[in-house]
Each structure stands twice: as C-alpha cells, then as structure tokens.
C-alpha cells in the first residue's frame, strides 16, 4: 500500500464521492478511481460500494479507514515534530470548526495571526459540533472549535470564549411594536427557523426555550437551514424568526436588516470550546493557536459586538 492510495481512500470515505475527493486532492476523477481500484486489487477485497447517490464503505473498507486515518495522522505528526526543531512557527494547521466559529470567529482572528505568523497556512474545515469532534478523533484536524461540548473518547473540550445569543426577527412593524420586549407567546406563534440537528446553536436554543416554559415542539416551524448565515438571510427576508449568535447578527443589526431581542435568561449565554485529542502532542502552530485564541477574544471582542 502506498501513502497516496491511503490518502485518496480516506478522502473518498469522508466525502462519500469520487468527484469531491478529486477536487479536494487536485486530481482527476479517473486518477481517484485508479488509486481505489489498485488498493482493492492489492488487498483482494472491495473497499467501497459505488451507487448513484454516494459512496459507502464495505465492512473491510471500514477496517482500513480506521488504520488509514491513524497512519496518515502519524505521518503528519512526524513531519510536524521534525519541524519543531525550527524556531519558526510554520506549516499547515488543520482546524475544524462548527458554523459560528468558522464563519464569524475565525475570520476575525486569522488576519491578525497571519500578520504575526506569515509562514502558517490555516486549513479550516466546517461541520456541526459532532462532525468536528469526529474529525479530531480521526486525525483529520489538529484542533477544533465548537459551540457545544461533545463527549468523544480521547478528546478534551476547554471553554475559551462566551457570547450572548439573541432572538432575531424581521425589521417590520409587527416586531417593531414589541419595543424590544420579546414574549413567550410571540415565540410560540411566529414562524420559526431552526438549524439542523447536531448544531450547537440549535441545542442551546432548545435549552433556552425549555427554560422559559416553551416546548420546542410547540413552535410553528417554517424551515430548517444549514447555517447561521442562511438563517439570518431568511429572517431578513421575512421567512420567520430565530435564535442565533449575537456576534453573527451584529452586522445585520447595524445595517437595519433585522431586529434583535434579549430575554432575561442565563441560557442565552453560551460558551465556545476548543477541542483537541488528549494523547497527541501539539505542533508549534497548534500551540500558538491555543495560546492566541483566548487572548484575542478577551481583548478584541467588545460587548457591542455580541448584543
């Protein structure tokens, strides 16, 4: 088996698509197919099941996937450890982040970090909190940032930043008449937009609703959307109301596109967490990010940004 074959196999398994794996690795789809076929021929077994919808692993493919992720992770770690001898912080740093951190937290700090550490290349993967934890577990990323703590074998979650979530509505007379006072009745009766199951935002929102006596099952759901940005666009265009990151909503509020409401509940305050594997040493770049993230958000994110 060759490392390139294992790299191709892991990408196909993760992305469940030959074409997506080809794009991710900057290869052609026939080259991806050839690598998988050669691997299957060498091992004498089918590793993937090809269908019209998506790729699925066979039982033997699942076994190889577990080993392949560990092998590739060790190769990456070996490269990073060798580079540790250099005083420069450099190289690729893979970070997995849930929606709000990847779209609204990291874009604030990466320009600052690029100025200080120009030899670091940041590779950011986006997924929900459970997907981020899985990527850390599989060595697909060195660090993760999530909006809800996840229990995953071998992984450690550490809180590093808190924000205030807000109830967001269209900027229309109906909601302007509330004069900044949201009620549980309005929450129950208004069309509501929610994130997908597994989202930290959705989990925290449902905890808040139950805390004020509103069963999430009572909501008049209008749509389930895959990102905070989609939710905010939906609210802006009158599709419904929602509960989102105050940091994410701040630009929309400044533009007058939406209204935001607070509620007297501690459950609208939530933590963001750094997640990493407890048994893997940090590369210099990862150690730098672990140090810089809490410091940056403590100093740079003002209360105006999250209300």
């Amino acid at each position: 088996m060759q490392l390139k074959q294992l790299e191709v196999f892991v990408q196909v398994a993760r992305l469940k698509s030959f074409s997506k794996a080809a794009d991710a690795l900057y290869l052609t789809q026939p080259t991806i197919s050839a690598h998988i076929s050669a691997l299957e021929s060498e091992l004498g077994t089918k590793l993937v099941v090809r269908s019209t919808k998506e790729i699925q692993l066979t039982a033997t493919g699942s076994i190889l996937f577990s080993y392949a992720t560990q092998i590739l992770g060790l190769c990456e770690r070996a490269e990073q450890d060798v580079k540790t001898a250099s005083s420069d912080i450099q190289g690729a740093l893979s970070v997995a982040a849930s929606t709000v951190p990847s779209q609204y937290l990291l874009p604030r700090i990466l320009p600052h970090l690029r100025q200080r550490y120009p030899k670091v290349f940041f590779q950011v993967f986006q997924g929900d909190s459970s997907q981020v934890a899985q990527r850390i577990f599989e060595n697909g990323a060195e660090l993760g940032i999530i909006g809800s703590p996840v229990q995953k074998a071998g992984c450690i979650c550490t809180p590093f930043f808190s924000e205030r979530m807000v109830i967001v509505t269209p900027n229309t007379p109906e909601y302007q008449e509330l004069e900044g006072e949201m009620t549980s009745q309005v929450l129950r009766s208004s069309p509501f937009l929610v994130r997908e199951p597994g989202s930290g935002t959705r989990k925290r929102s449902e905890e808040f609703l139950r805390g004020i006596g509103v069963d999430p099952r009572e909501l008049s759901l209008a749509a389930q959307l895959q990102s905070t940005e989609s939710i905010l666009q939906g609210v802006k265009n009158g599709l419904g109301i929602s509960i989102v990151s105050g940091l994410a909503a701040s630009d929309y509020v400044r533009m007058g596109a939406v209204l935001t409401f607070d509620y007297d509940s501690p459950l609208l305050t939530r933590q963001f967490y750094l997640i990493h594997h407890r048994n893997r040493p940090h590369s210099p770049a990862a150690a730098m990010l672990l140090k810089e993230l809490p410091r940056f958000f403590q100093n740079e994110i003002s209360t105006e940004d999250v209300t």
Side-chain angles (χ1 to χ4, degrees):
M1 289 184 293
Q2 300 175 8
L3 285 176
K4 192 63 180 180
Q5 292 174 332
L6 294 179
E7 182 183 10
V8 167
F9 172 70
V10 166
Q11 285 292 346
V12 168
R14 282 180 175 152
L15 299 175
K16 301 185 186 299
S17 166
F18 279 46
S19 60
K20 291 179 181 178
D23 291 340
L25 295 171
Y26 300 100
L27 298 173
T28 65
Q29 190 167 335
T31 300
I32 296 292
S33 298
H35 278 304
I36 297 298
S37 295
L39 198 54
E40 290 179 329
S41 177
E42 181 178 348
L43 295 175
T45 184
K46 283 289 183 185
L47 299 173
V48 300
V49 178
R50 302 162 177 83
S51 69
T52 57
K53 292 185 178 180
E54 62 180 25
I55 300 298
Q56 297 291 336
L57 294 182
T58 63
T60 51
S62 296
I63 293 172
L64 179 61
F65 179 76
S66 176
Y67 282 105
T69 53
Q70 294 180 58
I71 291 168
L72 294 174
L74 285 172
C75 289
E76 182 180 349
R77 185 68 61 222
E79 180 181 357
Q80 291 171 344
D81 287 350
V82 169
K83 290 179 178 178
T84 300
S86 170
S87 59
D88 281 347
I89 296 178
Q90 58 182 307
L93 174 59
S94 297
V95 181
S98 57
T99 306
V100 170
S102 68
Q103 293 184 353
Y104 303 102
L105 296 186
L106 286 175
R108 286 176 174 258
I109 190 175
L110 291 187
H112 164 80
L113 294 180
R114 280 288 300 163
Q115 287 183 347
R116 296 187 61 186
Y117 308 100
K119 295 182 179 180
V120 177
F121 171 71
F122 296 93
Q123 190 174 19
V124 180
F125 304 93
Q126 182 175 308
D128 63 32
S129 295
S130 59
Q131 291 169 334
V132 169
Q134 186 65 26
R135 188 173 278 274
I136 297 295
F137 178 74
E138 293 173 354
N139 262 332
E142 192 170 356
L143 295 176
I145 306 174
I146 52 181
S148 179
V150 174
Q151 299 295 324
K152 191 72 177 177
C155 295
I156 299 174
C157 286
T158 306
F160 79 98
F161 169 68
S162 64
E163 72 149 356
R164 189 76 175 163
M165 298 177 67
V166 295
I167 302 161
V168 60
T169 75
N171 190 0
T172 59
E174 174 185 0
Y175 296 103
Q176 292 168 4
E177 291 174 358
L178 296 176
E179 297 182 346
E181 294 292 331
M182 179 58 63
T183 67
S184 59
Q185 181 56 39
V186 172
L187 290 171
R188 288 189 179 93
S189 61
S190 297
F192 214 90
L193 312 182
V194 296
R195 288 283 306 281
E196 75 283 359
S199 158
T201 296
R202 177 163 176 172
K203 179 180 179 181
R204 192 60 173 173
S205 297
E206 291 180 348
E207 291 173 352
F208 157 70
L209 290 168
R210 293 189 189 98
I212 64 170
V214 176
D215 189 332
R217 294 172 296 183
E218 297 176 7
L219 299 176
S220 177
L221 296 184
Q224 175 181 299
L225 300 170
Q226 290 293 111
S227 71
T228 297
E229 192 65 21
S230 297
I231 294 279
L232 286 166
Q233 285 289 331
V235 173
K236 172 188 170 183
N237 289 288
L239 181 59
I241 72 172
S242 191
I243 301 171
V244 301
S245 157
L247 183 61
S250 60
D251 285 343
Y252 284 79
V253 174
R254 281 192 286 268
M255 292 185 296
V258 301
L259 299 175
T260 57
F261 297 79
D262 200 350
Y263 205 101
D264 186 17
S265 168
L267 294 174
L268 280 180
T269 298
R270 71 161 173 183
Q271 292 276 355
F272 288 102
Y273 298 81
L274 289 167
I275 180 171
H276 61 93
H277 201 285
R278 72 168 70 243
N279 295 325
R280 296 175 192 145
H282 298 308
S283 68
M288 172 274 293
L289 190 63
L290 283 171
K291 179 180 72 174
E292 294 285 357
L293 271 173
R295 178 186 301 170
F296 178 84
F297 287 110
Q298 180 178 2
N299 295 334
E300 300 296 330
I301 302 295
S302 69
T303 55
E304 290 182 353
D305 290 322
V306 295
T307 57

